[in-house]
Amino acid sequence: MYTLVQLVLPWTVWVHWLGQAWAAELRKVAGPVPLTWVSKGIGVLCSLGWVYALRRATPTAAGFVRPAPGSIRAVAPAVLAAAALVLGDAYLSRHAFPALSTGQRWLYFVLPGLHEELFYRGALLGLLAPGLARTVPLPGTRTSWGGIAGVLLFTLGHGLGFPDRLFTLGFGTDFWRYVGAWWSPTHFPLSDVLFRLSMGTLFLYVRERTGSAWAAAAVHCLLNGCLAVGHSAG
């Protein structure tokens, strides 16, 4: 799946190392919003295809169903509190982030939440949960160790990333020295780990309490929207 490929190396690094394109040309196309729309859209289609085409999990197990009656009201207080905290923090730290274009704002509002929740709390949980008992308590519900695995992978997936400079270092001494420095704890700080763990746990709670990965995706989109609005505030 596209999400799992992200945990290894971005496609631009592979293509450059295989000698298929110049690094300078790849850097021109690796970042624009249209490419991100396509790549994350492919991730959404992979998750849906895993359930509906390959039938590796049922729609119910994957949470590709409507929220249970009354469940949205049950999760609303936690979601609104998280949204207020994220929006406030994003506003206070807004000067540390570059301005977002209209396309980037729409991207953050829509695709990351769909892409990630339909995989971590959808297709992946639908694959793992049937073989694991739901013994891990959450407020008003329970989850399985498959859900915990999804939170850990979600955190790891947001912490790993290969810097652009790897394009130009080859496989010599400089490359491995740079990789060694990048892998130091300063590149995966505790504050980021705790934030991703807390957000992943919130999304898992919404997914389990409502029975719907779509609800978790909606909450994820809401919080991403709070980040985008806060960071772009004047």
Side-chain angles (χ1 to χ4, degrees):
M1 278 188 151
Y2 170 74
T3 305
L4 295 181
V5 173
Q6 285 183 304
L7 296 178
V8 184
L9 277 177
W11 67 270
T12 46
V13 174
W14 285 111
V15 173
H16 173 61
W17 282 349
L18 292 173
Q20 300 300 309
W22 294 101
E25 294 302 316
L26 285 173
R27 280 195 291 269
K28 293 178 182 179
V29 300
V33 169
L35 180 66
T36 308
W37 277 93
V38 171
S39 61
K40 291 190 177 296
I42 291 174
V44 171
L45 293 177
C46 285
S47 295
L48 294 174
W50 182 258
V51 174
Y52 292 109
L54 299 179
R55 299 182 184 276
R56 299 297 182 181
T58 66
T60 300
F64 294 168
V65 295
R66 293 181 178 181
S71 61
I72 296 297
R73 182 179 299 176
V75 302
V79 171
L80 293 177
L85 288 173
V86 169
L87 180 61
D89 181 72
Y91 178 77
L92 292 175
S93 62
R94 65 193 182 282
H95 298 301
F97 295 88
L100 297 175
S101 67
T102 301
Q104 287 173 321
R105 291 194 191 99
W106 277 108
L107 173 69
Y108 295 140
F109 266 110
V110 178
L111 267 187
L114 283 172
H115 165 222
E116 293 168 10
E117 293 313 309
L118 295 187
F119 174 70
Y120 291 113
R121 260 65 65 178
L124 180 63
L125 186 56
L127 175 67
L128 298 178
L132 299 169
R134 298 174 76 245
T135 57
V136 182
L138 289 171
T141 186
R142 290 180 179 273
T143 189
S144 68
W145 286 104
I148 302 301
V151 172
L152 295 178
L153 285 173
F154 171 79
T155 303
L156 183 64
H158 283 79
L160 291 180
F162 286 76
D164 183 72
R165 195 181 170 202
L166 289 180
F167 281 114
T168 61
L169 295 178
F171 286 104
T173 303
D174 288 341
F175 170 81
W176 294 112
R177 184 182 296 116
Y178 190 76
V179 170
W182 176 82
W183 272 101
S184 72
T186 59
H187 291 83
F188 201 17
L190 180 61
S191 59
D192 285 353
V193 174
L194 294 178
F195 177 73
R196 301 302 179 186
L197 281 174
S198 61
M199 290 297 99
T201 302
L202 174 65
F203 301 145
L204 177 62
Y205 161 67
V206 172
R207 157 67 169 93
E208 295 288 26
R209 184 66 179 82
T210 65
S212 174
W214 297 109
V219 172
H220 196 146
C221 290
L222 170 65
L223 297 188
N224 281 355
C226 290
L227 282 173
V229 170
H231 287 163
S232 60

